[in-house]
Every structure is written in structure tokens, then in C-alpha cells.
Amino acid sequence: MILMLVGVAVIIGGVFAVKYIMGKGMNDFFDNMPQPAATVTDWTAKEEEWVDAQQAVGTFVAVNGTDVTTEAGGVVRSLSIDVGKPVKAGTVLAQLNTANELAVLKSLEASARLAAVQRDRWQALARDKLVSQAEAEERATVAATSLAQVEAQRALIAQKTIRAPFDGVLGIRQVNLGQFINPGDPIVSLQALDPIYLDFTLPERQVGQVLPGTVIRATVDALPGQVFEGKVTAVEPQVDAATRNFKVQATLDNPEYNLRPGTFAHVGFDTGDSRKVVVPQTAISFNPYGNAVYVIQEVQRAEGEKDMQGKPLTGKKLVVRQRFVKTGATRGDLIAVTEGLKPGERVATSGLLKLRNDAEVVVNNKVQPVSEAQPKPENR
């Protein structure tokens, strides 16, 4: 029985020993097995002159724009509105009925003339001491009051002659001949279109980047391909506490009246020139904990390195090392690297998922990822 137990122990121990030796040999083989070089494409980081550009949206606003109206009500007697045409300031647009007002004016003028005659007569009598000075002053007051009533009536008549308050372009008239209009009723829209304002808002972090005189570029969807330039003429000194934005106003020339008030616009402006280190966006490994690139470096092979067939390797090799970087603005397929990369360094632009620190790579640039600042893909 003892001999049988010893024999079983030897046999079982031998099985476990063989198993351990085989496993250890296999692990040593895989641990020391050379990794095949990963094939990647590369790009040499370069420094370019990039202008920091900002974008915003805005609305065009007329320098002067209003619905022309009347201060006094009445019946429309005549209209001189040339719809859609420019007019000069002071041009008569409409005339209300003033027959009653003119009749009252004649009566007031007659009273004023009589009051003036009586004033002169009583002043002459006062100089001769025939009447008191108080009576002469009373007649002078009556004459002045009568004259003021005449001027008030003339102002009322003038209010019924509606004129263009400024140079602009007329819109569609909203009244007809013979129509009775009340004070404040709109008669026609008048908009000053040249020059024209462009109002847009920016976040508070850009306070100080936009100053009066800054050149802006505007585009509108109605006129594709056309860019209109202007200059910032006013910056709101207060930041809106609710939105944390501030308002900016630019002025643009509009001699052909292509830009209209109320039109939506895309606004672009430059905040200054700066040199940027740029690489293709495919070279960046975007991660929640930070963006990184794989920098390709040439190093000397270690002694005793062998290939997959066990042949010794000598000379130099290309390896990649991960480096965290800070990225900035993008332009097309390129992205700016603000920190962590210098001009002239080579980075891998493809195959990033199979790379790790100190991994050997082989560069094959026969098929390069697209890396253009202004890509124009074909419409297929």
C-alpha cells in the first residue's frame, strides 16, 4: 500500500511538474517574442501663420428706420409716395385735408392784425399820457396772444403735411386717398439703407478682443458667395447679466441696397495674427483625460534583438512615444497644437489604435489621410 501511494504521488507530481515546465516555457517564449512593427503614416509638424478668427451671428439694422405717421388726424387728400424708391429728407409724402384749419387760420390772422393795431394805438396814447401804462401793456399782451394762436394754427396745418424725416427708401404705403387716419397710424415705411448697421452679440470672454475700428466680414444666405466688409463702430459697455453677452455694432457701406434691415448675417472677424504648430486631425488621439499624439523617433536597437524568424537585428529603428498636447483651433483637416509639440517633429497620422509607448513602427505614406486647410470633397 505504501509503495502504491508513493508511486501515485510520483506520477501525479511528475504530471504537475511537466505542466509547470511547459507553461513556463510557453510564457517565456511569448514574453520574449519580438513584436511585429506596426505600419503607420507620418506627418512632420510645421509652423503656419494662422489668423485667429471668431464667428458670430447678427442682424442688419437701418441707421434710421421708421413708419412715417402723422401727429394730427384727418382725411388723406393727396399722396406722393413712390413705392420702393429713394426719397430726400423733406419730400412731401401725403397731405391731409386742412380746409377747416385754414379757415380758422384766417380768422386768427384777422384778430391778430386788429390786436396789433390796437396795441400800437394804445402805446401812442400811453406816450402822450392819455391812458395808463398798464392799459397799453394789456393791449400788447392781447396782441402777443393773438400772434401765438396764429403760429399754433400754422403748426397744426404743417402737421397735416407729412414729409420724409430723413433720406431713405420708401416701402409699401398703408393708406389710401380719402381714408381717415388717426394720430400715430402708419402711412409708409422709410428705411435709410446706406450705410447700414450690423448688430451682433459676443460672449463676455471676448471683451477686449473687439474694439472700435475692428474689420468684420459679413455674409448673408440670400447672397451666397458675396462677402461684405465693415468696421466696428460701437461696443456696448455693459455685459448682459442674464446671458453674459455684450452687444457690438458695425457699420457697412450699402450703396446698392443689397443688405436689408432685419436680414440674418454670419459675422467673422480677426483677433490678431499668430503662428501655430499644425498637424492633421487624424494625428490627435482625443481622450476624456487629455489629447495626445504619437511622436516618431529614431533610436538604436538594443543588443540581441531578433526578428520573428529569430534572426538578429542591428542598426536603428523607428519607435513611437505618446505625448499629451493641448489643441486649439481647427481649419479644414488641420488642427493647431498650442502646447506639447515643436515644429519639425514627426507624428503618426494613422493606426493610432494599435500603437503603444516604445512600439516599433514602419512608415508607409503611399496612402495618406487628407490633410488640407480648405478641403473640397467631391459631391458624389
Side-chain angles (χ1 to χ4, degrees):
M1 181 62 71
I2 292 173
L3 291 175
M4 182 188 69
L5 293 175
V6 171
V8 171
V10 171
I11 294 173
I12 295 175
V15 170
F16 279 103
V18 171
K19 189 79 172 177
Y20 171 76
I21 294 172
M22 292 177 61
K24 187 175 184 304
M26 187 177 296
N27 289 335
D28 291 341
F29 173 78
F30 282 112
D31 289 342
N32 297 319
M33 183 180 67
Q35 295 291 328
T39 302
V40 298
T41 56
D42 73 336
W43 170 281
T44 302
K46 57 184 179 180
E47 193 174 43
E48 291 188 359
E49 193 76 26
W50 276 22
V51 177
D52 290 334
Q54 302 293 335
Q55 299 292 327
V57 294
T59 303
F60 286 104
V61 180
V63 174
N64 285 308
T66 185
D67 285 334
V68 180
T69 184
T70 175
E71 297 179 74
V75 177
V76 179
R77 189 179 67 184
S78 64
L79 290 171
S80 303
I81 299 174
D82 199 356
V83 176
K85 300 296 183 180
V87 295
K88 295 293 184 179
T91 303
V92 177
L93 302 178
Q95 179 66 58
L96 303 184
N97 184 21
T98 58
N100 293 335
E101 288 78 6
L102 289 173
V104 174
L105 177 62
K106 291 180 180 180
S107 174
L108 293 175
E109 287 176 341
S111 300
R113 286 192 296 269
L114 177 60
V117 171
Q118 292 178 346
R119 176 199 60 197
D120 296 339
R121 184 180 301 147
W122 282 81
Q123 286 179 349
L125 293 173
R127 285 194 295 269
D128 296 336
K129 306 298 182 178
L130 298 176
V131 296
S132 65
Q133 186 64 31
E135 290 177 324
E137 292 176 354
E138 182 179 353
R139 293 295 177 175
T141 302
V142 171
T145 302
S146 299
L147 184 61
Q149 290 175 346
V150 170
E151 295 300 326
Q153 189 66 17
R154 287 175 180 170
L156 178 60
I157 294 173
Q159 289 177 356
K160 294 197 173 185
T161 303
I162 294 90
R163 301 176 182 272
F166 49 82
D167 295 349
V169 178
L170 293 172
I172 299 174
R173 64 182 176 89
Q174 303 180 44
V175 296
N176 299 304
L177 285 173
Q179 178 180 343
F180 181 85
I181 58 176
N182 295 306
D185 288 348
I187 297 175
V188 65
S189 175
L190 179 63
Q191 304 291 326
L193 301 181
D194 185 26
I196 192 169
Y197 289 149
L198 176 58
D199 292 347
F200 57 97
T201 57
L202 295 173
E204 62 178 355
R205 59 184 175 83
Q206 294 182 353
V207 172
Q209 295 182 357
V210 181
L211 301 173
T214 301
V215 178
I216 62 97
R217 299 173 299 277
T219 58
V220 294
D221 295 338
L223 301 169
Q226 296 190 35
V227 180
F228 303 91
E229 287 194 356
K231 289 186 178 181
V232 173
T233 51
V235 178
E236 183 69 40
Q238 180 180 1
V239 176
D240 189 341
T243 61
R244 304 301 178 187
N245 294 333
F246 65 98
K247 184 180 289 187
V248 181
Q249 186 175 82
T251 304
L252 294 83
D253 293 330
N254 189 28
E256 298 180 359
Y257 302 155
N258 289 327
L259 305 175
R260 299 301 178 96
T263 304
F264 173 84
H266 301 275
V267 188
F269 59 93
D270 302 332
T271 58
D273 297 335
S274 59
R275 302 188 68 84
K276 304 287 186 182
V277 178
V278 299
V279 296
Q281 294 191 50
T282 55
I284 305 296
S285 177
F286 297 97
N287 302 296
Y289 49 83
N291 301 331
V293 296
Y294 283 96
V295 181
I296 301 176
Q297 298 177 342
E298 189 177 49
V299 298
Q300 185 68 38
R301 291 185 181 275
E303 186 177 354
E305 284 193 35
K306 297 180 180 180
D307 60 10
M308 297 294 294
Q309 287 75 33
K311 297 179 181 180
L313 296 173
T314 58
K316 296 183 178 181
K317 64 179 179 179
L318 297 177
V319 298
V320 293
R321 291 190 172 92
Q322 190 180 46
R323 186 186 299 174
F324 288 97
V325 295
K326 289 185 178 181
T327 57
T330 61
R331 182 172 296 179
D333 299 316
L334 301 179
I335 186 170
V337 178
T338 57
E339 290 184 19
L341 196 63
K342 297 179 180 179
E345 292 187 300
R346 297 168 65 188
V347 294
T349 58
S350 64
L352 304 187
L353 295 178
K354 57 186 177 183
L355 299 182
R356 55 181 175 81
N357 267 328
D358 296 324
E360 184 178 354
V361 296
V362 175
V363 176
N364 183 358
N365 288 328
K366 289 184 178 180
V367 181
Q368 272 274 24
V370 179
S371 304
E372 298 180 5
Q374 295 180 342
K376 297 180 180 179
E378 296 182 5
N379 185 6
R380 298 182 179 178

